[in-house]
Structures are given as structure tokens and as C-alpha cells.
Amino acid sequence: MQKAIIAGALAIALVALASFAAGGARMKITSSAFQEGGNIPQKFTCDSSDSSPPLRIAEIPSVAKTLALVVDDPDAPSGLFTHWIVWNISPKTNAIAEGSTPQGVQGTNDFGKSGYGGPCPPSGTHRYYFKIFALDRELNLPSGTKRNQLDAAMKGHVVAQGELMGRYAKQKR
């Protein structure tokens, strides 16, 4: 009986370790501007000031050396459309103020610009994912890097992640 208990405990520990090593640990990313699955207010979109919403980050693992933030739209007609990418953010960062950019390195979004580009769907309601990744190392990528290069550099280095999804439908003019 004791051997079965020890074997069970060992199996649970190995599953937890494998899950953590594979980026299975969860972080939280929230916004005071909208709830998970809720509507993103117009002021954070191309229909208004196009400023970034306030974000809070919690449950950052102590092993994190840096964070990466990605905002994307999987409902874009051309496929996944990236609105914002920033990496090498300090793991001590637990909040990003409205309209600000966290200190780190900014990549080029799919609008062809650096910085935040808010929701701007051509039609219908789209989902926008604000994703936070805790990494076990800093990334040696130049400013202006595109999303596919960031994803490749993060591969095997994600120790935890979280996401917040909001929805937006372009306003009729």
C-alpha cells in the first residue's frame, strides 16, 4: 500500500513538473476596462483614440526572467492578425497603465507599426486575445521583430502564460 502511495505521489509530481516545463503554469491577465469575454470599450479601438487598455498581471512565477505580451485577432480574414508585441518586460511588472507601453522591446505589429494597434475588424465581431508569457530567459531579438520570429524565440522557454479575451465589432459610420 505504501509503495502505491509513493508511486502515485511521484507520478503526480512528474506530471506537474512536465506541465510546468511545457509552459502549463497559469498566470492571470485582467483589465479594469472589460471582463473576460466582454466587449472592449470603443476608446481602445481604431474607432476612437486607439490607446491600449489598462492591464494587470498576476501569479508571475518566481523563475521568470522576463515577460512577453502579445495581442492578436484570430478572426481576421487573413488569419491571425497581431496588434501588439512587446518582450523582455521585467517580471516585476504587474500593471500596464492605460495608454502606456511596458518597458521592453517592441516588435512590429501587422499594421506595420511599432506599438499598440487597437481592434479594427473590417466587419462583424472579432475576438482579441491579450496574452502574457513568462520566460526563463531574455530574448535576443531586435526591435521591430515580427510575431513569427518572437514565437520561434520563445519556443521551449515559456514557464507560464495567461490570456484575456475581449470582443469588438467596428462601429458603423
Side-chain angles (χ1 to χ4, degrees):
M1 177 73 170
Q2 187 176 8
K3 285 183 180 180
I5 292 172
I6 291 171
L10 184 58
I12 290 171
L14 287 173
V15 167
L17 182 60
S19 174
F20 181 75
R26 300 300 300 162
M27 295 173 28
K28 289 187 179 174
I29 181 168
T30 58
S31 178
S32 58
F34 62 96
Q35 298 296 314
E36 169 65 30
N39 292 325
I40 298 171
Q42 185 176 351
K43 74 189 261 184
F44 304 114
T45 75
C46 69
D47 289 324
S48 185
S49 65
D50 210 18
S51 65
S52 60
L55 299 171
R56 298 224 25 99
I57 305 163
E59 300 179 24
I60 301 167
S62 60
V63 297
K65 301 282 188 255
T66 186
L67 303 175
L69 173 66
V70 175
V71 179
D72 57 33
D73 170 7
D75 302 321
S78 60
L80 188 68
F81 191 92
T82 301
H83 287 257
W84 198 15
I85 55 175
V86 187
W87 62 93
N88 290 350
I89 303 167
S90 168
K92 293 182 173 147
T93 302
N94 60 14
I96 300 169
E98 179 179 319
S100 71
T101 299
Q103 283 208 336
V105 182
Q106 289 206 61
T108 300
N109 61 33
D110 285 337
F111 293 111
K113 299 179 179 178
S114 176
Y116 176 80
C120 198
S123 64
T125 301
H126 286 217
R127 297 167 298 154
Y128 296 87
Y129 288 87
F130 292 74
K131 300 175 185 177
I132 192 74
F133 299 92
L135 307 173
D136 64 3
R137 67 180 198 126
E138 284 195 5
L139 301 178
N140 187 19
L141 294 171
S143 163
T145 292
K146 294 260 203 189
R147 170 73 185 272
N148 61 344
Q149 295 165 300
L150 175 64
D151 287 345
M154 290 193 316
K155 189 172 182 165
H157 297 287
V158 176
V159 295
Q161 62 189 51
E163 70 179 28
L164 168 66
M165 189 272 288
R167 301 174 192 277
Y168 187 71
K170 191 159 176 71
Q171 301 301 304
K172 303 219 185 314
R173 295 184 190 228

